[in-house]
Amino acid sequence: MTQPEAAEGTRAGRARGGRQARQAQRSGAGGAPIVIPGIRRAIPTYDLMSEEGLATIEAAVDTLLQEVGLDFRGDDRCLELWREAGADVRGERVRFPAGLVQSIIRRAPASFTHHARNPARSVIVGGDNIVFSPAYGSPFVYDIDEGRRYGSLEHFQNFVKLAYASPWMHHSGGTVCEPVDVPVNKRHLDMVYSHIRYSDKPFMGSVTAEERAEDSIAMARLVFGPDFVERNCVIMGNINVNSPLVYDATMTKSLRAYARANQCAVVVPFILGGAMGPVTTAGAIAQSMAEAMVGVALTQLERPGAPVILGNFLSSMSLRSGAPTFGTPEPALGSLVIGQLTRRLGLPLRCSGAFTASKIPDSQAMMESAVSMQAAILCGAHFILHSAGWLEGGLAMGYEKFILDADFCGALHTYLAGIPLDENALALDSFREVGPGKHFFGCAHTLRNYETAFWDSGTADNTSFEQWRDAGEKDAIKRANEKWRAMLRSYEAPPLDPGIDEALQAFMTERKQAKPDMWH
Amino acid sequence: MTQPEAAEGTRAGRARGGRQARQAQRSGAGGAPIVIPGIRRAIPTYDLMSEEGLATIEAAVDTLLQEVGLDFRGDDRCLELWREAGADVRGERVRFPAGLVQSIIRRAPASFTHHARNPARSVIVGGDNIVFSPAYGSPFVYDIDEGRRYGSLEHFQNFVKLAYASPWMHHSGGTVCEPVDVPVNKRHLDMVYSHIRYSDKPFMGSVTAEERAEDSIAMARLVFGPDFVERNCVIMGNINVNSPLVYDATMTKSLRAYARANQCAVVVPFILGGAMGPVTTAGAIAQSMAEAMVGVALTQLERPGAPVILGNFLSSMSLRSGAPTFGTPEPALGSLVIGQLTRRLGLPLRCSGAFTASKIPDSQAMMESAVSMQAAILCGAHFILHSAGWLEGGLAMGYEKFILDADFCGALHTYLAGIPLDENALALDSFREVGPGKHFFGCAHTLRNYETAFWDSGTADNTSFEQWRDAGEKDAIKRANEKWRAMLRSYEAPPLDPGIDEALQAFMTERKQAKPDMWH
């Protein structure tokens, strides 16, 4: 296993290595140990709300499920599944008797391994594990040299390469940007192929149509083998609820396609308070939980035991303009409560990300993203989509933003490692050696520890004013620009079995020839 | 009470108003209610470390106090106080029998009111209250128009005016920048006068010599009256420990001057790991607690019951250059544990701030500052010095940074207000009204709540890409630049009793004439 740029952040790297080793030991399986490149939290979650408060919100969730219900539009099989499960189905409106959704959810695994084609890059989703994954779904890309323009397959592949090269991204993501130069009905083939060809980290497939979800899973079968895929999670699909309280057929059919294949659906309501939900955070939380729980339950009706992630995406709104705002306090607070509620359900959680409304990776962007990512860490999210690159409320994937965010993810590795409390950490001998009024530069304890003592950012400038001035007064954006260009220049693709590559290409060719291009 | 710019952040403003009213009601005192413009936390602290872990660190603190001890240099009265209290004093080295420091600390108040000359601006230090105060001590100032240059009295007054005009600063601070155009031995007079003349928020005095501390307190007596000052806290002095494990005479004599006058000493070890303390966080925490606890105890030997704040300032180091780093994960984690330990001692805490090593208010600066300020909020700090303006490891006070930081403090007001859980917040009627698939824009609940629903930043740009582009593609720094210039243009000084003003000026003239100028 080679870890590009692993020289950075040595402390986190070492801590992770230690945990990997212990995990592999615990697994007790024969053969080569599974090395887990994700991170494990050594710090507690931040539990914002009292038990009583959580119960109040759970009661509101029950009211929504029992009284208001959700619409499932255009998917008869889905309505049939709900009817069979005991829900109250009238037309496309489905209401859920008390406890029904919760009892179905119990069939879902609390954690599972999301396999990468390189086993050393497989990650555990759930428990104390955390997976950082790049931003998802932007039609545009941005860098400071050429500004904002539409995404393309080349940009898509660039971001796959950057996520592969970053030690702080554990996952290759999904639609890291929209390759708008490829027909809408064939893009998923190129995207899935790019994740496989240019990375060996775990990845996501398409959800924009049932057959595209099926294609994505079929390509995964060519890589992992059909038997392995039948028994293990090797691909994820990100299912968006049509908030408020609606699932359309595209989403339920894709969700069921992933579940049917024993692959992971990530079920995510996106609630912009005041538009797709109420402006008050407590109400938005209740809505989000109701919507997501129903989607999670649907995966279990399709295939009990299928891996699934409960997702959440709360956003706020500018009072002056009605525009969505990101990285604000309300969604950060909401994430903390969503984390508590999801732990009570025993499900893996996707929550928060490096959000911002800024058009560029400036002070606003990083202030907002830092708030949002800290909420992800504190709330106990397991799978953090949008960990790097997000700009402009998700409309643009930024090259420099990707680098700054990935660096912040690196810092969070150290944060998550917590504070060791062994004899070396307490350092009492160093005080005995140094004593009052002396400095610690050369003492034995410093010499023994300084190489791995502190988080060492790859983008921050910590030099003196004079050094910084003489080096050209570069700001963080300029340094990030130089860094992503250097990373792409030095990128080397991971090996891929030529037989698998051929099979994938043949599959793509056949699928592309079978249909005319669609451009919208 | 006028609140400049109170139109911004209406929700937080209203929430604070509600809390103020409730507080005033609870106080039960006759006459006009005391309005408290600080904030009260409605969210819990984030308790990182287990009870067992805290006990381990407390044991390390005890070892440092009993075995290694601290040096008190050049202050015989201080050594005498320690000897009388039962400490083991040999030369200037003082060691403390088990439990001695803790038992003395118990004399200190758990919370106190820090009075402003405008009673509506008085703040409570301790309990669930939080006070934001500007950055302190920079020799340089920075703005994007003129770059970095030395501070001056004009810059000093500008920052006092900006802190007065910001609704998110509860405090005027102390040495908001060094006025290097005023002689070193007379600067404190102009600084204290400027805080009084250009603001009516609470402020800090000098600590750079005992007589300057005495002068600062004397000026406060001219404003508040000697009897009031004898019974109430009206001024603070920020006392830095000469880490590791040394107090010099300047610091102990200034500390004792504040305590003697029943005014608040803020006792702050500044530990740069690897230089003034060990590189491991647990050891640095133990050292910091030992140093601060001894200083707190010294205030209580000087005058039992004097108000005092336990302070903390941990920093990390770049492994590549040996340069100090700020806004990194280790000090953020350290702050959380310092908060837990200080709560066990029952003392008000000063901790963290908007730290960064960046030379300019760029993405690095705001990412680091957001991490650092979130730690301050989560750790339960009561008095947060350096909340706004800090650049370059404290070497420069930035105009644009001040604005961006103050705006972040505004966001933290909303964060600290938590998530209301009443019927309106749960919004169940809005779901019944709107139903699946409809939008919430015009529903009764939205119309009733939207004006105060969300934090509304005064510096973030949430417009569309096209709107932002057509408005000149301004980044956050440029917007902050326009904002501080506008705030200074529209600044109006609060009223000051002409008799008090005359008395202050006469005092300054007399003190300035009594001594020759000193320039270093």
Side-chain angles (χ1 to χ4, degrees), chain B residues 308-455:
Chain B
V308 63
I309 297 175
L310 183 144
N312 170 262
F313 192 140
L314 296 179
S315 176
S316 50
M317 186 186 268
S318 163
L319 313 175
R320 286 176 284 187
S321 65
T325 55
F326 295 92
T328 45
E330 295 87 355
L333 291 167
S335 295
L336 297 170
V337 177
I338 294 279
Q340 292 179 274
L341 293 167
T342 307
R343 275 192 290 288
R344 284 153 75 106
L345 293 171
L347 290 172
L349 171 65
R350 179 206 138 184
C351 196
S352 208
F355 299 143
T356 181
S358 184
K359 272 54 73 180
I360 52 176
D362 65 348
S363 329
Q364 175 188 346
M366 294 318 296
M367 179 168 66
E368 291 176 341
S369 292
V371 169
S372 188
M373 281 301 285
Q374 288 231 35
I377 294 304
L378 294 173
C379 83
H382 302 99
F383 180 69
I384 306 175
L385 197 65
H386 308 307
S387 286
W390 171 288
L391 279 176
E392 205 191 322
L395 287 178
M397 182 74 170
Y399 279 92
E400 292 84 11
K401 180 68 159 41
F402 185 93
I403 298 298
L404 294 169
D405 285 340
D407 193 59
F408 190 67
C409 288
L412 292 173
H413 279 67
T414 297
Y415 194 80
L416 283 158
I419 300 180
L421 269 186
D422 52 26
E423 201 178 303
N424 178 63
L426 289 167
L428 289 174
D429 278 343
S430 75
F431 294 104
R432 294 185 184 108
E433 179 186 343
V434 175
K438 307 289 184 354
H439 67 70
F440 283 69
F441 289 120
C443 79
H445 182 266
T446 300
L447 293 177
R448 201 164 64 235
N449 288 281
Y450 81 93
E451 281 188 348
T452 56
F454 295 122
W455 160 244

Side-chain angles (χ1 to χ4, degrees), chain A residues 20 61 299 376 386 411 416 429 466:
Chain A
Q20 282 170 34
V61 171
T299 65
H386 308 305
L416 283 158
D429 278 345
E466 292 72 17

Side-chain angles (χ1 to χ4, degrees), chain B residues 59-383:
Chain B
V61 171
D62 286 339
T63 301
L64 292 179
L65 293 175
Q66 294 167 42
E67 205 182 296
V68 182
L70 280 84
D71 281 358
F72 288 84
R73 296 185 178 164
D75 182 355
D76 289 341
R77 174 62 188 145
C78 173
L79 294 172
E80 200 177 299
L81 285 169
W82 280 123
R83 207 174 286 115
E84 287 168 8
D88 169 20
V89 181
R90 301 182 205 180
E92 295 187 321
R93 177 70 53 93
V94 183
R95 293 183 180 81
F96 308 86
L100 175 66
V101 172
Q102 289 87 338
S103 73
I104 300 170
I105 281 177
R106 269 180 227 119
R107 302 171 194 168
S111 79
F112 59 91
T113 298
H114 179 16
H115 291 269
R117 70 178 181 88
N118 176 352
R121 305 239 190 241
S122 295
V123 294
I124 295 176
V125 177
D128 288 333
N129 303 279
I130 292 154
V131 176
F132 290 131
S133 182
Y136 185 111
S138 307
F140 299 102
V141 297
Y142 175 89
D143 71 57
I144 53 170
D145 299 313
E146 298 182 53
R148 184 213 214 215
R149 64 275 199 199
Y150 274 105
S152 67
L153 189 56
E154 188 187 346
H155 287 302
F156 186 99
Q157 292 170 348
N158 282 345
F159 282 109
V160 170
K161 292 173 183 177
L162 290 173
Y164 171 69
S166 169
W168 314 122
M169 288 293 109
H170 313 120
H171 197 272
S172 194
T175 307
V176 288
C177 69
E178 282 287 347
V180 301
D181 52 346
V182 181
V184 164
N185 61 335
K186 300 178 180 178
R187 246 173 232 183
H188 62 289
L189 300 165
D190 290 291
M191 291 197 279
V192 170
Y193 178 76
S194 298
H195 280 301
I196 297 167
R197 182 70 195 84
Y198 298 107
S199 184
D200 61 3
K201 296 186 178 181
F203 61 92
M204 305 173 92
S206 177
V207 296
T208 53
E210 184 178 15
E211 63 168 18
R212 297 175 203 159
E214 302 276 19
D215 282 351
S216 303
I217 298 163
M219 290 176 79
R221 288 196 185 100
L222 294 175
V223 176
F224 292 89
D227 291 350
F228 191 86
V229 174
E230 180 58 26
R231 292 190 317 271
N232 294 286
C233 175
V234 301
I235 190 167
M236 285 178 176
N238 197 63
I239 305 295
N240 277 299
V241 184
N242 311 87
S243 304
L245 303 170
V246 175
Y247 279 82
D248 67 27
T250 302
M251 287 296 112
T252 54
K253 288 180 180 176
S254 291
L255 175 150
R256 294 195 292 107
Y258 279 93
R260 196 158 56 239
N262 202 24
Q263 302 306 305
C264 177
V266 189
V267 185
V268 192
F270 168 41
I271 299 174
L272 170 59
M276 298 90 108
V279 291
T280 45
T281 302
I285 291 171
Q287 176 190 346
S288 183
M289 288 304 293
E291 291 177 349
M293 285 163 64
V294 164
V296 167
L298 184 58
T299 65
Q300 302 305 305
L301 295 182
E302 184 71 28
R303 177 162 173 165
V308 63
I309 297 175
L310 183 144
N312 170 262
F313 192 140
L314 296 179
S315 176
S316 50
M317 186 186 268
S318 163
L319 313 175
R320 286 176 284 187
S321 65
T325 55
F326 295 92
T328 45
E330 295 87 355
L333 291 167
S335 295
L336 297 170
V337 177
I338 294 279
Q340 292 179 274
L341 293 167
T342 307
R343 275 192 290 288
R344 284 153 75 106
L345 293 171
L347 290 172
L349 171 65
R350 179 206 138 184
C351 196
S352 208
F355 299 143
T356 181
S358 184
K359 272 54 73 180
I360 52 176
D362 65 348
S363 329
Q364 175 188 346
M366 294 318 296
M367 179 168 66
E368 291 176 341
S369 292
V371 169
S372 188
M373 281 301 285
Q374 288 231 35
I377 294 304
L378 294 173
C379 83
H382 302 99
F383 180 69

Side-chain angles (χ1 to χ4, degrees), chain A residues 348-426:
Chain A
L349 171 66
R350 178 206 139 184
C351 195
S352 209
F355 299 143
T356 181
S358 184
K359 272 55 73 180
I360 52 176
D362 64 348
S363 329
Q364 175 188 346
M366 294 317 296
M367 180 168 65
E368 291 175 340
S369 292
V371 169
S372 187
M373 281 301 284
Q374 288 231 34
I377 294 304
L378 294 172
C379 83
H382 302 99
F383 180 68
I384 306 176
L385 196 66
H386 308 305
S387 286
W390 170 287
L391 280 176
E392 205 192 321
L395 287 178
M397 182 74 171
Y399 279 91
E400 293 84 11
K401 180 69 160 39
F402 185 93
I403 298 299
L404 295 169
D405 285 339
D407 193 60
F408 190 67
C409 288
L412 292 173
H413 279 67
T414 297
Y415 194 80
L416 283 158
I419 301 179
L421 270 185
D422 53 25
E423 199 179 305
N424 178 62
L426 288 166

Side-chain angles (χ1 to χ4, degrees), chain A residues 79-153:
Chain A
L79 294 171
E80 199 177 301
L81 285 169
W82 281 123
R83 207 175 286 116
E84 287 168 8
D88 169 19
V89 182
R90 301 181 205 180
E92 294 188 320
R93 177 71 52 93
V94 182
R95 292 184 181 81
F96 308 87
L100 175 67
V101 172
Q102 289 87 340
S103 74
I104 300 169
I105 281 178
R106 267 179 229 120
R107 302 171 195 167
S111 79
F112 59 91
T113 297
H114 179 17
H115 291 270
R117 70 177 180 90
N118 175 352
R121 305 236 190 245
S122 296
V123 294
I124 295 176
V125 177
D128 288 334
N129 302 279
I130 292 154
V131 176
F132 290 131
S133 181
Y136 184 111
S138 307
F140 299 102
V141 297
Y142 176 90
D143 72 56
I144 53 169
D145 299 313
E146 298 183 53
R148 184 213 213 217
R149 64 272 197 200
Y150 275 105
S152 67
L153 189 57

